[in-house]
Amino acid sequence: MKFRCERQALADALAIVVRASGSRTASSPVLAGVRIEVKGDSLSLACTDTDQIITCTIPVQGINNGVSVPRARLFNDIVRSLADGAVEVEVVGEDVVVSGGRSNFNVPTYMAQDFQVLPPAAAPDTSTNAEEFADALRQVARTVKNQDDHPYRGVQISHDADGVRLAATDNFRMALRKLPHSKILAVGEKVLVPGRALTELERMLPLSKDLVIRWADPTITFITGTASLTTRTINGSLPDPKMFLDAQYPNTLTVNRELILEALRRGKIVLPSSIGLKLHLSESGVRMEAADRDLGRTEEDLEAEYTGADLSITFNVDYLMAGIEVVETESVRIAMKDSRSPAAVWAADNEDYSYFIMPIRA
Amino acid sequence: MRLVIARCSVVYEGRLDASLPEALRLIMRKADGCVAIHADGGAYKPLNWMNAPNSVAELDDRWVITNPKGETLTIHLHEVISDFEHELGKDPGLTKDGVEAHLQELLADNPEEIELGLQLIRREYPTSIGPVDLLCKDSAGRTVAIEIKRRGEIDGVEQLTRYLDRLALDSSLGDLRGIFVAQVIKPQAKTLAESRGIICREIDYDLLRGKRSEQPTLF
């Protein structure tokens, strides 16, 4: 195997795939490698940890076809450190030799046949706008339950009568985002994709205008231009958000997004994590109150508009902020029923994004 | 239980002679016959004492306690400030932290709290070097030995390793792996466990007991 290309092109491709590589201590050490294959004038790179695989294909000047699996992070570090300009990579014996400028590196390799490739999902392409998908993902991804074996450790993509939607929950809150123009999946279908894979996908999305999705359980493949990510899906699905979507929220607080975030940040100073911040709401005024036995207390009147009954309601300040931060409009609506029922966070003028949050008992 | 606070001096004659000069002290006479003389300090050790069985001769100005070995403890009472007696009844004994046993019970009922798809084979699975806390089957059909501790330290990992070595001798158990479960696992224990291919799981006891955190959930 031998090829020549621009250092930057190779470094960019490696940056996409390398984070999917497994750890060296894992039962299968070859997973710490990056599989590089030259076929004609095209170079394919792949890293996998058996649950997911990221591949990227770039044009190169191919000299000899072949496959090699050098250690991924090492190969990546070397390529990044080389001077700009042409790089030549060649298999010599059991090593890969990387040359660029005046530098020469010999990198030991793994046995290429040990490298198990998770095949891409065998399903027809469905395509959606990558930028819109990236926005949607950014809005829901922070709500994913961040625990390795939890049934909610992913983002659900679903397509029903109301269209395509992304959803995530950690039991305390649920984030939903509609993709009004998207046609991915068929009506009635839903798939739960691991949050870990989507963190990688977020970095791949700026690579192209369109995101292609192929889904055939138990795997799903996302393709952005020359890069692709295939991951195992999670068995099961998230709870149905219908009860939150259909609920009545007679009390509404409308407030400037930046203004309430700043106030919450001030309140958070006296709150160790996960302790509640109280909102005292009435049509004559809105007051925020945060207090901790050791760290003191703060009170602040908010410039906001409130319609509804007098209400005191307590939220986990981190969860409330997370829901508000990803709203894309200047002002935000927080709609509530009472101090014990889920509240909703929406943009001022649409409900494409919704965030449902359970208040804390005061 | 009889408690006497008195200005007293004490003479002990036996393997060696010892005496306490006159001072205010607490004299305890327990229902089983033990006598102990305490000063106003120190958590557990009396200044002088005599275990049961013994015989106590209670005279006007002194108690003379004799045991079968011929040792005597003589307490001279110069002034009795308080003399109080109360029946305590039978003591249930010291319970040494039932958390570990309870954790085992709770996890045996809900092995999925440890790992999704885990099914219990049995609790206290016997081996020649002691019982394994829980023996389970995972979703892939592998046998899983689980050691449960309140605090996850290195000795717990060693213990589980020994069990795994033992269980590996029994080929009928098939593929075998270990999970080390504790409320908190020390980083050194985690590192050791991982180097031996043992998975570590931290379990929230309060949550498991149904004492949900103060945060209500959506579902």
Side-chain angles (χ1 to χ4, degrees):
Chain A
M1 186 209 73
K2 186 172 179 181
F3 67 89
R4 206 171 291 147
C5 70
E6 281 299 308
R7 182 202 71 101
Q8 192 59 49
L10 184 57
D12 288 349
L14 274 168
I16 291 164
V17 301
V18 79
R19 295 217 339 206
S21 67
S23 73
R24 220 150 26 98
T25 51
S27 52
S28 185
V30 68
L31 298 179
V34 52
R35 184 180 189 277
I36 49 180
E37 177 169 17
V38 177
K39 241 188 220 164
D41 279 337
S42 133
L43 172 74
S44 313
L45 303 110
C47 280
T48 181
D49 65 359
T50 69
D51 284 330
Q52 62 180 40
I53 183 167
I54 301 180
T55 69
C56 186
T57 304
I58 53 169
V60 295
Q61 183 191 341
I63 298 163
N64 288 319
N65 286 353
V67 183
S68 184
V69 184
R71 195 180 285 174
R73 275 157 220 267
L74 184 63
F75 189 65
N76 182 42
D77 288 345
I78 290 168
V79 171
R80 274 198 315 176
S81 74
L82 293 177
D84 248 336
V87 183
E88 196 175 271
V89 178
E90 180 181 10
V91 173
V92 178
E94 287 183 0
D95 288 357
V96 161
V97 177
V98 186
S99 333
R102 294 156 185 260
S103 327
N104 254 308
F105 283 89
N106 274 53
V107 188
T109 59
Y110 300 102
M111 304 286 278
Q113 66 262 37
D114 292 346
F115 194 94
Q116 299 284 324
V117 175
L118 189 65
D125 289 358
T126 58
S127 164
T128 192
N129 181 292
E131 193 181 333
E132 185 192 50
F133 195 87
D135 281 344
L137 204 50
R138 190 178 57 84
Q139 287 182 311
V140 303
R142 286 170 65 183
T143 304
V144 171
K145 182 81 184 178
N146 200 358
Q147 184 188 319
D148 267 355
D149 55 358
H150 199 278
Y152 300 165
R153 64 186 181 284
V155 170
Q156 181 169 281
I157 308 171
S158 64
H159 191 162
D160 59 22
D162 298 331
V164 175
R165 191 165 60 198
L166 301 190
T169 182
D170 68 356
N171 257 331
F172 301 112
R173 59 232 166 97
M174 184 173 213
L176 303 176
R177 166 63 200 256
K178 285 186 216 161
L179 294 171
H181 314 295
S182 179
K183 298 271 184 289
I184 44 175
L185 309 188
V187 178
E189 286 181 339
K190 57 186 167 189
V191 55
L192 192 54
V193 184
R196 269 184 59 220
L198 293 171
T199 314
E200 302 303 322
L201 181 64
E202 278 191 272
R203 295 184 308 119
M204 291 163 52
L205 284 168
L207 296 176
S208 92
K209 215 163 82 1
D210 290 313
L211 166 70
V212 172
I213 298 180
R214 289 187 203 155
W215 171 49
D217 259 340
T219 56
I220 184 165
T221 297
F222 299 91
I223 301 164
T224 60
T226 57
S228 87
L229 180 150
T230 298
T231 176
R232 288 182 208 285
T233 56
I234 302 168
N235 254 333
S237 57
L238 300 186
D240 194 339
K242 193 172 176 344
M243 54 181 157
F244 310 131
L245 293 166
D246 292 350
Q248 294 296 310
Y249 303 93
N251 309 299
T252 304
L253 173 70
T254 308
V255 60
N256 178 284
R257 180 176 155 274
E258 269 316 306
L259 192 129
I260 189 169
L261 282 175
E262 275 169 27
L264 292 175
R265 276 182 214 121
R266 279 190 289 272
K268 201 173 137 57
I269 293 173
V270 298
L271 294 179
S273 60
S274 93
I275 294 205
L277 176 138
K278 205 172 258 177
L279 294 176
H280 300 285
L281 307 160
S282 87
E283 289 186 348
S284 58
V286 174
R287 168 167 290 206
M288 174 195 92
E289 181 195 342
D292 178 79
R293 212 171 8 154
D294 298 325
L295 300 176
R297 55 182 278 118
T298 169
E299 268 190 11
E300 180 167 340
D301 287 322
L302 287 178
E303 200 186 311
E305 214 177 282
Y306 178 72
T307 53
D310 288 2
L311 178 63
S312 283
I313 187 165
T314 307
F315 292 107
N316 175 317
V317 62
D318 290 323
Y319 292 171
L320 185 60
M321 284 170 71
I324 294 171
E325 272 166 359
V326 294
V327 170
E328 284 166 333
T329 53
E330 195 179 320
S331 64
V332 35
R333 279 180 296 155
I334 304 174
M336 294 149 284
K337 181 166 170 253
D338 53 44
S339 63
R340 293 178 314 280
S341 308
V345 175
W346 286 305
D349 56 1
N350 72 77
E351 289 169 16
D352 283 354
Y353 162 76
S354 349
Y355 183 82
F356 300 100
I357 174 172
M358 196 67 191
I360 302 181
R361 278 181 217 106
Chain B
M1 168 72 79
R2 184 169 167 200
L3 300 174
V4 177
I5 294 177
R7 185 176 301 286
C8 62
S9 55
V10 182
V11 177
Y12 166 79
E13 290 162 80
R15 286 161 298 150
L16 57 99
D17 292 352
S19 65
L20 293 169
E22 184 180 325
L24 264 180
R25 298 191 178 92
L26 166 67
I27 305 164
M28 289 167 69
R29 172 114 195 267
K30 298 192 176 177
D32 63 353
C34 293
V35 176
I37 300 137
H38 282 274
D40 202 357
Y44 82 101
K45 208 172 178 187
L47 298 167
N48 218 322
W49 67 94
M50 188 162 278
N51 277 320
N54 60 36
S55 60
V56 179
E58 244 182 83
L59 308 174
D60 277 351
D61 61 341
R62 64 187 191 274
W63 293 5
V64 181
I65 306 126
T66 319
N67 72 8
K69 286 183 237 166
E71 296 163 319
T72 58
L73 189 70
T74 309
I75 305 170
H76 295 273
L77 301 167
H78 304 287
E79 184 191 354
V80 174
I81 314 285
S82 149
D83 187 343
F84 169 84
E85 192 162 358
H86 193 91
E87 181 102 24
L88 298 188
K90 193 173 171 352
D91 194 85
L94 181 66
T95 317
K96 272 200 186 161
D97 192 1
V99 171
E100 216 163 275
H102 194 212
L103 258 180
Q104 193 199 97
E105 232 168 86
L106 289 168
L107 291 172
D109 290 340
N110 308 290
E112 297 229 324
E113 294 287 339
I114 301 173
E115 187 183 288
L116 238 56
L118 219 53
Q119 284 183 322
L120 183 71
I121 299 173
R122 72 167 282 186
R123 270 179 72 182
E124 302 278 349
Y125 183 87
T127 74
S128 53
I129 52 165
V132 180
D133 283 342
L134 302 179
L135 200 70
C136 297
K137 268 250 180 296
D138 71 9
S139 51
R142 281 186 297 181
T143 306
V144 187
I146 294 163
E147 179 62 32
I148 300 163
K149 293 279 181 215
R150 209 161 74 81
R151 299 167 54 81
E153 290 175 4
I154 281 192
D155 55 351
V157 179
E158 297 286 2
Q159 196 182 346
L160 180 54
T161 309
R162 287 196 297 273
Y163 289 147
L164 285 167
D165 289 347
R166 256 311 117 163
L167 293 170
L169 301 176
D170 181 354
S171 60
S172 71
L173 292 174
D175 262 2
L176 197 63
R177 63 192 186 97
I179 303 181
F180 186 49
V181 179
Q183 281 180 284
V184 260
I185 298 178
K186 288 261 176 79
Q188 304 97 304
K190 228 176 238 174
T191 309
L192 180 68
E194 277 159 11
S195 74
R196 293 179 176 179
I198 292 169
I199 294 172
C200 291
R201 279 285 283 137
E202 288 183 349
I203 291 283
D204 188 332
Y205 177 55
D206 288 339
L207 216 68
L208 209 58
R209 267 196 303 186
K211 233 197 193 180
R212 301 298 289 194
S213 56
E214 74 283 9
Q215 290 204 39
T217 55
L218 282 172
F219 309 107

